[in-house]
Amino acid sequence: MPRRKFYPLVALTFFAVVCNSAQASSAQYVNKLSHATPYIPPQCYTDPVVDSTRTTNPCYACHTNSKRPNLLNDTDVQQEYSFPEKALLNPWLNMYKDRQAQIAAIADEAILAYVREDNYLDDKGEIKLAQRLTKQTLAFDQNDNGRWDGYLPDSYFNFDQQGFDRSPAGDYTGWRSYAYYPVPGSFMPTNGSTDDVSIRLAEVLRQNEQGQFDLTVYKTNLAIVEAMIREQDVPIDPVDEQVLAVDLDKDGQLGIASKVRYDWAPLEKRWMSYVGKARLAQKSGDLHLAAKLFPEGTEFLHSVRYLDINGQQQIAMAPRMKELRYARKDQWLTYYQLEVIVADEIKERHDFPSRTKLLRGNAERGVQIAQGWTYQGFIEDKQGELRPQTFEEHGTCAGCHSGMGTLVDTTLSFYRKLPADNFQQGWYHWQQKSLAGLPEPRRESDGEYEYSYYLKQNPTGDEFRANQEVQDKFFDSQGRPKAAMFARLNQDISTLLMPSIERALALNKAYKLIVEEQSFHQGRDAVLKPLDKVLHKQVEANQPTGINEILSAF
């Protein structure tokens, strides 16, 4: 799957780490990149041509006509591999390794025991990763100041009936989990992982005008953010607008509001406002609000986990995390500034087609991208405990969160949040309610079912044309759609998203082998068979992909 346009990231920073911990392997912290383009993932090397009569198109799910103020509009990369010179040789060697014998040698009971171990919380309910970063500071300190300066994990993944995370003492941590439609492709559990996402707004958006934490204020501001990102009205529990001093439902009076009405058109003098202390900060210019943009200080926490099997013999989210991913919006950029970023990228691409992107950051703080966000990640060490990702490993964040037309303010999931007519108004964790029974969403542009459309363009349901289980489930031996299975998918997306028990166990084992090797820099996707017949090992500059029809993700 090709990719061309990536936003410039200012300056390249190498790093070195002295590792004096038995749990941390110094081999994982190198002082140079093993290849120059960690931001171009292995999916982008896929050959979409199946044979002389068939071509798939998984690329559109990422590269598409974008929504303002993301003006990337990178549909052109569906049709050509416009890579810089140093990326023409595929560096993702894990995708070609044959691990079938190693996978078969791992007992089902052993892998289930492994994924059911909690590598995030200890027996006392304390966060192991936070303790490790605090106690083993010297192992991960990049600037030699004697402390950990990156994100210190503080979510207990203990969500109440409104989706709010609570500490062991019952306090609100600020994190709120939400359910969302997984992006078609790699993010579907059938391709290897379950995941969840929580959001936390800046402290000013959680406080009333007196500066005290106020749950009603916080919930209302979250609804306002949701309305701005989705550009839609959002139902809320009834609130007194007189207390909040904002006409949320836009009915011309301060009464009892049961929705946040989206009505934002500054050129027509139509405005919207946060509530609480954030209303005052917005009024003074210290906090901003605009469609398709999160307010400054917004954070996301994303755990990526193994696949488990529950007591009903269904695929479920495992306790063990593969990764913990964190994002924070550090800076507010206007529509114009975001447009300039794209314009600069296009000019740079034209003037210097062989130039690779420059990454800014380090292993301690993560990577900073031009749109004002920081992305940071933690991943399993050889013993299965979470550790900070190396700078090179962080490079994968920079690609997917700054160089795709499908992004909304560099993110994917919140725009896809379940609407308020779902369980707990869409504010819940997958452990509170699974994907089972969730109806299939429809595409905005043509009203077609989203996952069904994806399967028709890409029958295996993954970018690598490697998920034969999905193809066999939804298509017959002649490649014709099975109407009954698509009808089931329309009513229940888990029909597609969840793999068989056999496949789930194999995917767990395949990923565990990468953990043991600590070879994430060569690819971190769970691959059951070598992909040498699907992935190009080398491409030419601007080589056509073979895709004839450009498609849209929206």
Side-chain angles (χ1 to χ4, degrees), residues 98-108 505-506 509-510 513 528:
D98 189 346
R99 305 181 189 275
Q100 294 178 81
Q102 292 172 283
I103 291 171
I106 301 175
D108 293 349
L505 293 172
K509 296 172 186 178
L513 293 170
L528 302 183

Side-chain angles (χ1 to χ4, degrees), residues 370-386:
Q371 296 92 328
W373 288 78
T374 292
Y375 279 87
Q376 183 165 23
F378 306 89
I379 202 163
E380 286 181 283
D381 67 13
K382 193 171 184 178
Q383 289 74 32
E385 297 299 326
L386 293 170

Side-chain angles (χ1 to χ4, degrees), residues 159 162-163 176-182 195-199 226 230 317 412-420 422-435 438 451 493:
F159 300 104
Q162 299 183 81
R176 195 180 193 188
S177 184
Y178 56 91
Y180 50 91
Y181 294 107
D195 66 342
D196 57 48
V197 186
S198 300
I199 186 173
E226 182 177 353
R230 297 170 64 90
M317 176 176 287
L412 289 164
S413 65
F414 196 76
Y415 180 74
R416 301 174 62 85
K417 176 187 172 293
L418 300 190
N422 284 269
F423 176 70
Q424 293 185 185
Q425 297 183 325
W427 294 104
Y428 66 91
H429 189 266
W430 295 122
Q431 292 176 328
Q432 295 175 300
K433 185 181 183 299
S434 72
L435 285 163
L438 189 63
Y451 296 114
I493 63 175

Side-chain angles (χ1 to χ4, degrees), residues 6-13 331 341 344-345 348 355-361 368-373 391 398:
F6 291 91
Y7 297 139
L9 298 172
V10 186
L12 179 63
T13 305
Q331 182 182 7
I341 289 173
D344 287 347
E345 166 65 16
E348 178 183 336
R355 180 177 292 177
T356 58
K357 297 305 161 190
L358 303 179
L359 307 179
R360 182 180 64 178
Q368 291 83 48
I369 62 175
Q371 296 92 328
W373 288 78
F391 184 67

Side-chain angles (χ1 to χ4, degrees), residues 452-471:
S452 297
Y453 182 88
Y454 182 77
L455 287 176
K456 292 172 183 177
Q457 313 305 325
N458 195 42
T460 60
D462 73 336
E463 296 88 347
F464 302 128
R465 303 206 314 272
N467 194 333
Q468 191 64 40
E469 179 174 282
V470 163
Q471 182 162 339

Side-chain angles (χ1 to χ4, degrees), residues 281-300:
Q282 181 183 348
K283 191 174 181 179
S284 66
D286 296 324
L287 188 68
H288 299 85
L289 178 151
K292 291 289 190 293
L293 293 178
F294 293 97
E296 48 266 65
T298 299
E299 300 168 281
F300 287 96

Side-chain angles (χ1 to χ4, degrees), residues 104-377:
I106 301 175
D108 293 349
E109 296 78 8
I111 196 64
L112 282 174
Y114 181 75
V115 305
R116 287 170 178 170
E117 294 175 349
D118 192 335
N119 62 344
Y120 184 74
L121 296 174
D122 63 20
D123 294 338
K124 298 179 181 179
E126 298 298 326
I127 301 170
K128 291 197 283 187
L129 178 57
Q131 293 176 338
R132 182 178 192 186
L133 295 172
T134 302
K135 295 178 180 178
Q136 300 176 11
T137 301
L138 293 180
F140 309 115
D141 183 14
Q142 295 293 289
N143 55 11
D144 296 323
N145 67 352
R147 66 173 185 267
W148 170 254
D149 291 323
Y151 168 64
L152 192 67
D154 59 350
S155 171
Y156 291 88
F157 288 85
N158 177 36
F159 300 104
D160 64 20
Q161 293 182 351
Q162 299 183 81
F164 286 103
D165 179 51
R166 309 291 282 269
S167 73
D171 298 325
Y172 290 96
T173 65
W175 292 109
R176 195 180 193 188
S177 184
Y178 56 91
Y180 50 91
Y181 294 107
V183 176
S186 291
F187 281 100
M188 301 189 302
T190 184
N191 293 320
S193 303
T194 56
D195 66 342
D196 57 48
V197 186
S198 300
I199 186 173
R200 180 166 64 185
L201 301 183
E203 189 173 25
V204 67
L205 286 142
R206 297 178 246 157
Q207 297 176 337
N208 59 27
E209 295 190 8
Q210 290 72 45
Q212 301 164 326
F213 175 79
D214 188 307
L215 189 60
T216 297
V217 165
Y218 190 21
K219 289 169 60 179
T220 304
N221 280 329
L222 282 165
I224 293 168
V225 170
E226 182 177 353
M228 298 305 297
I229 294 298
R230 297 170 64 90
E231 295 189 83
Q232 295 177 357
D233 295 353
V234 173
I236 57 175
D237 296 332
V239 296
D240 189 340
E241 293 175 324
Q242 284 197 345
V243 173
L244 300 176
V246 175
D247 183 9
L248 296 168
D249 57 13
K250 298 281 188 172
D251 66 353
Q253 58 186 351
L254 296 181
I256 302 299
S258 58
K259 71 177 178 181
V260 172
R261 184 186 171 202
Y262 176 76
D263 183 30
W264 184 81
L267 295 180
E268 300 173 17
K269 307 301 181 183
R270 303 204 317 267
W271 311 92
M272 294 179 65
S273 172
Y274 298 119
V275 300
K277 191 174 181 180
R279 181 182 73 85
L280 305 178
Q282 181 183 348
K283 191 174 181 179
S284 66
D286 296 324
L287 188 68
H288 299 85
L289 178 151
K292 291 289 190 293
L293 293 178
F294 293 97
E296 48 266 65
T298 299
E299 300 168 281
F300 287 96
L301 195 60
H302 176 201
S303 82
V304 182
R305 302 176 187 240
Y306 289 86
L307 302 161
D308 198 2
I309 304 168
N310 65 22
Q312 291 73 47
Q313 295 299 291
Q314 298 169 331
I315 302 302
M317 176 176 287
R320 177 173 291 277
M321 295 183 184
K322 293 180 175 181
E323 299 182 51
L324 183 67
R325 301 171 178 177
Y326 170 77
R328 181 184 65 254
K329 185 168 185 174
D330 300 312
Q331 182 182 7
W332 178 266
L333 298 180
T334 65
Y335 280 19
Y336 173 73
Q337 290 171 313
L338 294 168
E339 185 177 1
V340 168
I341 289 173
V342 174
D344 287 347
E345 166 65 16
I346 293 173
K347 184 178 188 303
E348 178 183 336
R349 200 37 144 161
H350 176 270
D351 296 346
F352 306 100
S354 294
R355 180 177 292 177
T356 58
K357 297 305 161 190
L358 303 179
L359 307 179
R360 182 180 64 178
N362 58 40
E364 185 174 1
R365 291 185 176 271
V367 290
Q368 291 83 48
I369 62 175
Q371 296 92 328
W373 288 78
T374 292
Y375 279 87
Q376 183 165 23

